[in-house]
Amino acid sequence: MQYLLASRSSSFPSAYTLFRHSYPLHRHRVPRPSLLKPNCAQRQSRTSLRTSWPLVSLSLFGTGFSLGPLLDGLHSRVNLVVYKSGSIDIGPLHTNIWVPFLLGLFYCSVGLLQLYLDERVLNNPQEGSLAKTIASLILLVLFIELSAELYKAGIADNIEAYILFAAAEFIWFLLDRTRLGFTLASIVGLACPLAEIPIMKFFHLWYYPQANIEIFGQGLVTWTLTCYFVYTPFLINLSRWLRTVYAAQTKESA
C-alpha cells in the first residue's frame, strides 16, 4: 500500500512536467487601447498635415500678399521707409509693387517652417486657435503702430529700441512662452533685416532715410528687428490655425 502511494506521488510531478512541455503555457500581454491611440492619432495628424500643406501654403501667401502691405503701410506713412523704383500710392498707403509678393513669401516661409518644426522637432502638431490668431494680429498692429508713433515723435533711437524690445518680449510672454518660439522669433528678427540689404542694394526698391546703422553700405534701423520678432508669434498662430482648419476638412472628405 505504501509502495503504491509512493509510486503515485512520484509519477505525478513527471506527468505534470510532461504535460507542461507538451502544451506550453504562453502568456500574451494584451496591449492597452490607451497606448495605441496616441500612435494612431499621430499618424493621422501627419497624414492630414501632408495633404493640407499646399492649401496652407497658398493661404499663407495670400494673407501676406493682401494683409502684409497694409501693416507695412503703418511704417511708410511716417516715412520710416521710403519706396523708390516701383513705388505705388493707393490713397494713404505707400508701398511698392514687389512688396505684396515679398511679404507673401515671408508669411509662407515662416509659417511652413513652424509647421515643420511642430511635426519633426516637437513631434506633436499643435492645434491652432482662431481667437489666439486674432489676438496676436491685434497685438502686432498695436506694436507696429507704437513703433511708428515713437519714430514720428522723434524719440531717440536707443530709447525707442529699449521700449520696443521690452514690449516685444512681453508680447512673446503673452502669446507663446516657449523656447522654440523665442528662438524662431529671434532668428527671424535678425535674418529679415539682413535679407533687406541685397534687395535695397541691387534692386533699389526702398531705403531708410534716418538709418542708424550701416551694413554692407546699406542703412538700416536697428529696432526694426523687434517688428519681425513680434510678427513671428502671429505667423505661428496663423499657420497652426490654417493647418487645423484644412486638416479637419481633409478628414471629413476622406
Side-chain angles (χ1 to χ4, degrees), residues 110 114 117 122 164-191 225-226 228-234 236 240:
V110 177
Q114 179 59 48
L117 293 176
L122 298 180
L164 295 179
F165 270 100
E169 293 182 4
F170 179 71
I171 290 175
W172 165 81
F173 181 79
L174 287 178
L175 298 175
D176 192 273
R177 301 185 187 183
T178 64
R179 287 180 293 180
L180 180 61
F182 186 88
T183 302
L184 180 61
S186 300
I187 293 174
V188 171
L190 291 173
L225 65 90
T226 61
Y228 288 108
F229 184 95
V230 177
Y231 234 123
T232 307
F234 165 65
I236 290 175
R240 285 175 174 172

Side-chain angles (χ1 to χ4, degrees), residues 30 69 73 75 108 112 125 129 254:
V30 179
H75 278 165
C108 186
L112 291 182
S129 169

Side-chain angles (χ1 to χ4, degrees), residues 22-237:
S22 302
Y23 301 93
L25 298 177
H26 298 283
R27 295 183 179 179
H28 297 280
R29 293 183 179 180
V30 179
R32 297 180 180 178
S34 59
L35 298 177
L36 296 177
K37 288 182 180 179
N39 295 331
C40 296
Q42 289 180 1
R43 291 177 182 176
Q44 291 177 358
S45 63
R46 289 181 180 180
T47 303
S48 60
L49 181 59
R50 293 191 186 97
T51 57
S52 61
W53 268 30
L55 293 175
V56 172
S57 303
L58 184 60
S59 299
L60 286 171
F61 184 87
T63 305
F65 187 93
S66 57
L67 179 63
L70 298 179
L71 298 179
D72 182 70
L74 297 176
H75 278 165
S76 61
R77 68 177 178 83
V78 297
N79 292 325
L80 170 67
V81 56
V82 176
Y83 292 102
K84 298 172 65 177
S85 59
S87 61
I88 55 175
D89 297 330
I90 305 175
L93 177 63
H94 308 289
T95 185
N96 187 282
I97 192 172
W98 291 106
V99 167
F101 297 96
L102 293 173
L103 289 177
L105 182 62
F106 168 63
Y107 277 48
C108 186
S109 300
V110 177
L112 291 182
L113 176 59
Q114 179 59 48
L115 297 184
Y116 178 83
L117 293 176
D118 283 345
E119 183 180 5
R120 299 298 181 180
V121 178
L122 298 180
N123 199 25
N124 183 23
Q126 301 183 21
E127 292 188 359
S129 169
L130 177 60
K132 197 171 183 178
T133 303
I134 295 175
S136 58
L137 175 59
I138 293 174
L139 290 175
L140 173 62
V141 173
L142 293 176
F143 183 87
I144 295 177
E145 180 64 22
L146 173 64
S147 65
E149 291 299 325
L150 292 175
Y151 178 83
K152 183 180 178 180
I155 304 298
D157 292 332
N158 58 341
I159 297 178
E160 183 171 3
Y162 292 145
I163 296 173
L164 295 179
F165 270 100
E169 293 182 4
F170 179 71
I171 290 175
W172 165 81
F173 181 79
L174 287 178
L175 298 175
D176 192 273
R177 301 185 187 183
T178 64
R179 287 180 293 180
L180 180 61
F182 186 88
T183 302
L184 180 61
S186 300
I187 293 174
V188 171
L190 291 173
C192 288
L194 295 177
E196 293 186 23
I197 295 176
I199 298 176
M200 294 188 293
K201 188 176 184 65
F202 298 109
F203 300 100
H204 309 287
L205 298 184
W206 63 78
Y207 70 97
Y208 294 93
Q210 296 187 19
N212 56 8
I213 187 175
E214 186 173 315
I215 302 177
F216 299 117
Q218 297 298 315
L220 296 172
V221 178
T222 53
W223 53 259
T224 55
L225 65 90
T226 61
C227 299
Y228 288 108
F229 184 95
V230 177
Y231 234 123
T232 307
F234 165 65
L235 295 179
I236 290 175
N237 292 321

